[in-house]
Amino acid sequence: MNDSTTREERFAHGMEVLDKVDGEAGRRVLDALADINPELGHQVVAWAFGEIYDRPGLAPRDRQLVTLGMLTALGGCEAQLDVHVNAALNVGLTPEQIVEALTHSAVYCGMPRALNATLAAKKVFAERRLLPLGG
Amino acid sequence: MNDSTTREERFAHGMEVLDKVDGEAGRRVLDALADINPELGHQVVAWAFGEIYDRPGLAPRDRQLVTLGMLTALGGCEAQLDVHVNAALNVGLTPEQIVEALTHSAVYCGMPRALNATLAAKKVFAERRLLPLGG
Amino acid sequence: MNDSTTREERFAHGMEVLDKVDGEAGRRVLDALADINPELGHQVVAWAFGEIYDRPGLAPRDRQLVTLGMLTALGGCEAQLDVHVNAALNVGLTPEQIVEALTHSAVYCGMPRALNATLAAKKVFAERRLLPLGG
Amino acid sequence: MNDSTTREERFAHGMEVLDKVDGEAGRRVLDALADINPELGHQVVAWAFGEIYDRPGLAPRDRQLVTLGMLTALGGCEAQLDVHVNAALNVGLTPEQIVEALTHSAVYCGMPRALNATLAAKKVFAERRLLPLGG
Amino acid sequence: MNDSTTREERFAHGMEVLDKVDGEAGRRVLDALADINPELGHQVVAWAFGEIYDRPGLAPRDRQLVTLGMLTALGGCEAQLDVHVNAALNVGLTPEQIVEALTHSAVYCGMPRALNATLAAKKVFAERRLLPLGG
Amino acid sequence: MNDSTTREERFAHGMEVLDKVDGEAGRRVLDALADINPELGHQVVAWAFGEIYDRPGLAPRDRQLVTLGMLTALGGCEAQLDVHVNAALNVGLTPEQIVEALTHSAVYCGMPRALNATLAAKKVFAERRLLPLGG
């Protein structure tokens, strides 16, 4: 994206990255913003995905590990955990690795944050018929 | 650690894991706790490292990616970022990957948390003579 | 409020300020507290509104800008955002200014907090038939 | 727990402590974890309750006062407040003391956190037919 | 404080409570505010101490247990932990109980917050020549 | 910025906005990032200032009111408060309005966050020889 681009091209490029990582869940966020704050939707796509996610220095699965850690620590991000547990599966993390990352989070964020994130992941795993783990 | 173990054995096992991951920085935390709360030091070692870190389901480098995300998001954890940027390097993440993880954090935690974590990493990189990156 | 006042006078004065800023939404909070913690309700009214909100050094609309920033950053304050998006409209901020403040919040709090606050605002705007913006 | 113990013994011991403090609410958390992350459930029981809660240096009611303060401050922990308002009652705090602790929290966490915690307590008090207080 | 009082009387009453709980550390906070925001100092004294701390429903030691939990969970409150570890000692909590409360906090806030609060307590204990504990 | 632009043009435009708002303090942040994460510096300039700050829907002084609220609420952002108390003065907020905004923050964030932000402002005001207020 170093050469000359228009705002529309930056958005279009971000949408390609978003679709690969977040899939339908990402599209639903944009739809929800359409009648109140389409600019915020534009920035999620063109900036967060088109510029940051697209950078080559960290693998997509690695980005989701960092993201799961952040969303768990922030708290109150159940909607975003829904999107990003899906994203984590989309880019190749296994359900077992996601669960292990959340177990690990108890050390740094404490049990309440680890439990809340685990129950957010459980909802996604149930929708994708991945439960019970190890079953 | 499923078979019968003593409290001392659990601590000794945790110290092996701690030494591999955190190195000297981990020992300094234990030293600081010795005259006020050695029990908390015991739990960091025997539980956090001996039980959680030691589990096989997530690679040590992956645990540090999650950890960097959490410490950045929590804020006010500069001392722990110092330990865990060191740990991240110890278990095989490159300085460039660590920096990229912190750039990624701006999307989820905002610029202040991303900047504070980056300056904490800068201190570690300077001590380990890794700066300038790309130099 | 520098001269001699009773606890009841302080409450009555706070109710006047609360009614102007929060309107009915403020009354509903007090109702919810009545059977468990009327003292907390008293403090919201007599202290927060009667003493702090009532001070002349910052315009009501400016107080709501600061408040929207704080509630967005804190996270987990959807109920309070409901009250204060209403309050922001009551004291003269436009829907477009509120939305722009939440877009701005993405820089400092990250996308999840900005998105959660925007969806809380969307609920209020829908109730007040203000959507779609720009429509 | 200083002598030689198995993982199973540590879990069994933790369950005794958990049952006394959290009662049924604690069991429900474990049930919810069973098909996704039983290890996290094990750690809540064997570590948090079997090791930390079980230590003699702080009375169970004092632990719940600290816990109520932490959960209120963290935000987004309504599910955990449900468990621990119940726990606080189980170990001898009165409803009035719990409410007073939450009023006190307004000084340090601000009104939104104090209000959210109070409404979480109200739900528990209603279930246990303790409302209205002072009635 | 239900009868008619002046702003000055409310401040004077709050100072009595503040002096008993926080001692000199509280006075230093007021001094620091004198040339920039004496109103905030007034509110700390007249409201937080004169109104909330002064209420009879929760013992001073219990208020400090809740406070230590909140300050640990909030993070970035080292200055306030300094004041309130002193306050906790002033109102009758033992150093061992304070340390145990901070060990307990690891369960709910995670290790970084527990460690930061413990090191803040260590500074106070050293100033008051209470270290090593158990020595 | 809707027409075709290069990455360099976006950065140059952002620098103009940054210089007006943050002044020298903004430049110092970029300098600190130069040898470790110039990309993060680029994003602060080209995205945060060039895209978000530059939008016409909210006045610069209003953006700083929101920003002061967020930084106060987040905690652990003393370095950013330094930059943005300066920025608030640069775009036309008076010292008295800034102080009043921080007094207001006590209602929503609690006393510790309000006090920490006030002391961060005091440092800036002292450097700019604005103390004592009202003097």
Side-chain angles (χ1 to χ4, degrees):
Chain A
M1 303 294 285
N2 278 327
D3 48 355
S4 180
T5 52
T6 63
R7 181 175 154 97
E8 287 69 29
E9 287 166 345
R10 291 197 294 277
F11 182 81
H13 177 66
M15 278 305 298
E16 287 175 40
V17 184
L18 176 76
D19 278 340
K20 265 186 251 170
V21 177
D22 281 2
E24 269 184 52
R27 294 264 175 169
R28 276 194 296 271
V29 174
L30 300 184
D31 289 347
L33 293 172
D35 62 354
I36 180 163
N37 195 349
E39 175 67 21
L40 188 57
H42 175 87
Q43 296 297 343
V44 167
V45 173
W47 178 66
F49 284 86
E51 292 220 34
I52 307 298
Y53 263 88
D54 193 45
R55 290 170 51 80
L58 199 65
R61 72 172 299 281
D62 288 353
R63 289 186 187 272
Q64 289 312 311
L65 286 170
V66 180
T67 302
L68 290 174
M70 291 187 286
L71 294 174
T72 300
L74 286 171
C77 292
E78 282 70 22
Q80 287 77 32
L81 276 165
D82 192 291
V83 173
H84 287 284
V85 170
N86 272 301
L89 293 167
N90 294 346
V91 297
L93 287 166
T94 65
E96 288 78 10
Q97 287 172 318
I98 292 167
V99 163
E100 191 64 35
L102 300 183
T103 303
H104 185 77
S105 78
V107 174
Y108 294 93
C109 306
M111 288 296 176
R113 295 285 192 241
L115 289 167
N116 286 345
T118 299
L119 296 182
K122 179 174 174 166
K123 188 165 156 291
V124 175
F125 290 179
E127 285 163 6
R128 294 172 75 138
R129 301 179 181 245
L130 297 168
L131 294 181
L133 292 191
Chain B
M1 302 295 285
N2 278 327
D3 49 354
S4 180
T5 53
T6 63
R7 182 175 153 97
E8 287 70 28
E9 285 166 345
R10 291 196 294 276
F11 182 82
H13 177 66
M15 279 304 298
E16 286 176 40
V17 184
L18 176 74
D19 278 341
K20 266 186 247 169
V21 177
D22 281 3
E24 267 185 54
R27 295 265 175 168
R28 275 195 295 272
V29 173
L30 300 183
D31 289 347
L33 293 172
D35 63 353
I36 180 164
N37 195 349
E39 176 66 21
L40 188 57
H42 175 87
Q43 296 297 343
V44 167
V45 172
W47 178 66
F49 284 87
E51 293 219 34
I52 306 297
Y53 264 87
D54 194 45
R55 290 170 51 80
L58 200 65
R61 70 170 301 279
D62 288 352
R63 289 186 187 273
Q64 290 311 310
L65 286 170
V66 181
T67 303
L68 290 174
M70 292 187 285
L71 293 174
T72 300
L74 285 171
C77 292
E78 282 71 22
Q80 286 77 32
L81 277 165
D82 192 292
V83 173
H84 287 283
V85 170
N86 272 301
L89 293 166
N90 294 345
V91 297
L93 288 165
T94 66
E96 287 78 10
Q97 287 173 318
I98 293 167
V99 163
E100 190 64 35
L102 300 183
T103 303
H104 184 79
S105 78
V107 174
Y108 295 93
C109 306
M111 287 296 175
R113 296 285 192 239
L115 289 167
N116 286 345
T118 300
L119 296 182
K122 179 174 174 167
K123 189 165 155 291
V124 175
F125 290 179
E127 286 163 7
R128 294 172 76 138
R129 302 180 180 243
L130 298 168
L131 295 181
L133 292 192
Chain C
M1 303 294 283
N2 277 327
D3 47 354
S4 181
T5 52
T6 62
R7 180 175 155 98
E8 286 70 28
E9 287 166 345
R10 291 196 294 278
F11 181 82
H13 177 66
M15 278 306 297
E16 287 176 40
V17 184
L18 176 75
D19 278 340
K20 265 186 252 170
V21 177
D22 282 2
E24 269 185 52
R27 293 264 175 169
R28 276 195 294 273
V29 173
L30 300 184
D31 289 347
L33 293 171
D35 63 353
I36 179 164
N37 196 348
E39 176 66 21
L40 188 57
H42 174 87
Q43 296 298 342
V44 167
V45 173
W47 178 66
F49 284 86
E51 293 220 32
I52 306 297
Y53 264 87
D54 194 45
R55 291 170 51 79
L58 200 65
R61 70 172 300 280
D62 288 354
R63 287 186 189 273
Q64 290 310 311
L65 286 170
V66 181
T67 302
L68 291 174
M70 290 187 287
L71 294 175
T72 300
L74 286 170
C77 292
E78 282 71 22
Q80 286 77 33
L81 277 165
D82 192 291
V83 173
H84 288 283
V85 171
N86 272 301
L89 294 166
N90 295 345
V91 297
L93 288 166
T94 65
E96 287 76 12
Q97 287 173 318
I98 293 167
V99 163
E100 190 64 35
L102 300 182
T103 304
H104 184 79
S105 78
V107 173
Y108 295 93
C109 306
M111 288 296 176
R113 295 286 192 239
L115 290 166
N116 286 345
T118 299
L119 296 182
K122 179 174 174 166
K123 188 165 155 290
V124 175
F125 290 179
E127 286 163 6
R128 294 172 75 138
R129 302 181 180 242
L130 299 168
L131 294 182
L133 291 191
Chain D
M1 302 293 285
N2 278 327
D3 47 354
S4 181
T5 52
T6 63
R7 181 175 154 99
E8 286 71 29
E9 287 166 344
R10 292 196 293 277
F11 182 81
H13 177 67
M15 278 305 297
E16 287 176 40
V17 184
L18 176 76
D19 278 340
K20 265 186 251 172
V21 177
D22 282 2
E24 268 185 53
R27 293 265 176 169
R28 276 195 295 272
V29 174
L30 300 184
D31 288 348
L33 294 172
D35 63 353
I36 180 164
N37 195 349
E39 175 65 21
L40 188 57
H42 174 87
Q43 296 297 343
V44 167
V45 173
W47 178 67
F49 284 86
E51 293 219 33
I52 306 297
Y53 263 87
D54 194 45
R55 289 171 51 80
L58 199 65
R61 68 168 308 276
D62 288 353
R63 289 187 186 272
Q64 289 311 310
L65 286 170
V66 181
T67 302
L68 290 174
M70 290 188 286
L71 294 175
T72 300
L74 286 171
C77 292
E78 283 71 21
Q80 285 78 32
L81 276 165
D82 192 292
V83 173
H84 287 283
V85 170
N86 272 300
L89 293 166
N90 295 345
V91 297
L93 288 166
T94 66
E96 288 78 10
Q97 288 172 318
I98 293 167
V99 163
E100 190 64 35
L102 300 183
T103 303
H104 185 79
S105 78
V107 174
Y108 295 93
C109 306
M111 288 295 176
R113 296 285 192 240
L115 290 166
N116 286 345
T118 299
L119 296 181
K122 180 174 173 166
K123 189 166 155 289
V124 174
F125 290 179
E127 286 163 7
R128 294 172 75 138
R129 302 180 180 243
L130 298 168
L131 295 181
L133 291 192
Chain E
M1 303 294 284
N2 278 327
D3 48 354
S4 181
T5 52
T6 63
R7 181 175 154 98
E8 287 69 29
E9 286 167 345
R10 291 196 293 277
F11 181 82
H13 177 67
M15 279 305 298
E16 287 176 40
V17 184
L18 176 75
D19 277 342
K20 266 187 249 170
V21 177
D22 281 3
E24 269 185 53
R27 294 265 175 168
R28 275 194 296 272
V29 173
L30 300 184
D31 288 349
L33 294 171
D35 62 354
I36 180 163
N37 195 348
E39 176 66 21
L40 188 58
H42 175 87
Q43 296 297 343
V44 167
V45 173
W47 178 67
F49 284 87
E51 293 219 34
I52 306 298
Y53 263 89
D54 194 44
R55 291 170 50 79
L58 199 66
R61 70 173 297 281
D62 289 352
R63 289 186 187 273
Q64 290 311 311
L65 286 169
V66 181
T67 303
L68 290 174
M70 291 188 286
L71 293 174
T72 300
L74 286 171
C77 292
E78 282 70 22
Q80 287 78 31
L81 277 165
D82 192 291
V83 173
H84 287 282
V85 170
N86 273 300
L89 293 166
N90 294 346
V91 297
L93 288 166
T94 65
E96 288 76 11
Q97 287 173 318
I98 293 167
V99 163
E100 191 64 35
L102 300 182
T103 303
H104 184 78
S105 78
V107 173
Y108 295 93
C109 306
M111 288 295 176
R113 296 284 193 241
L115 289 166
N116 285 346
T118 299
L119 296 182
K122 179 174 173 167
K123 189 165 155 291
V124 175
F125 290 179
E127 285 163 8
R128 295 172 75 138
R129 300 180 182 245
L130 298 168
L131 296 180
L133 292 192
Chain F
M1 302 294 285
N2 277 327
D3 49 353
S4 180
T5 53
T6 62
R7 181 175 154 98
E8 287 69 29
E9 286 166 346
R10 291 196 294 276
F11 181 81
H13 177 66
M15 278 304 298
E16 286 176 40
V17 184
L18 176 76
D19 277 342
K20 266 186 248 169
V21 177
D22 282 3
E24 268 186 53
R27 295 264 174 168
R28 275 195 296 272
V29 173
L30 301 183
D31 288 348
L33 294 171
D35 62 354
I36 179 163
N37 195 349
E39 175 66 21
L40 187 58
H42 175 86
Q43 295 297 343
V44 167
V45 173
W47 178 67
F49 284 87
E51 294 221 32
I52 306 297
Y53 264 88
D54 194 44
R55 291 171 51 80
L58 199 65
R61 66 165 311 273
D62 289 352
R63 289 186 187 274
Q64 289 312 309
L65 286 170
V66 181
T67 303
L68 290 174
M70 291 188 286
L71 294 174
T72 300
L74 287 170
C77 292
E78 282 72 21
Q80 286 78 31
L81 277 165
D82 192 292
V83 173
H84 288 283
V85 171
N86 272 300
L89 294 166
N90 294 346
V91 297
L93 288 166
T94 65
E96 287 77 10
Q97 287 173 318
I98 293 167
V99 163
E100 191 63 35
L102 300 183
T103 304
H104 184 78
S105 78
V107 174
Y108 295 93
C109 306
M111 288 296 176
R113 296 285 192 240
L115 290 166
N116 286 345
T118 300
L119 296 182
K122 179 174 175 168
K123 189 166 155 290
V124 175
F125 290 0
E127 286 163 7
R128 294 171 77 137
R129 302 180 180 242
L130 298 168
L131 294 181
L133 292 191

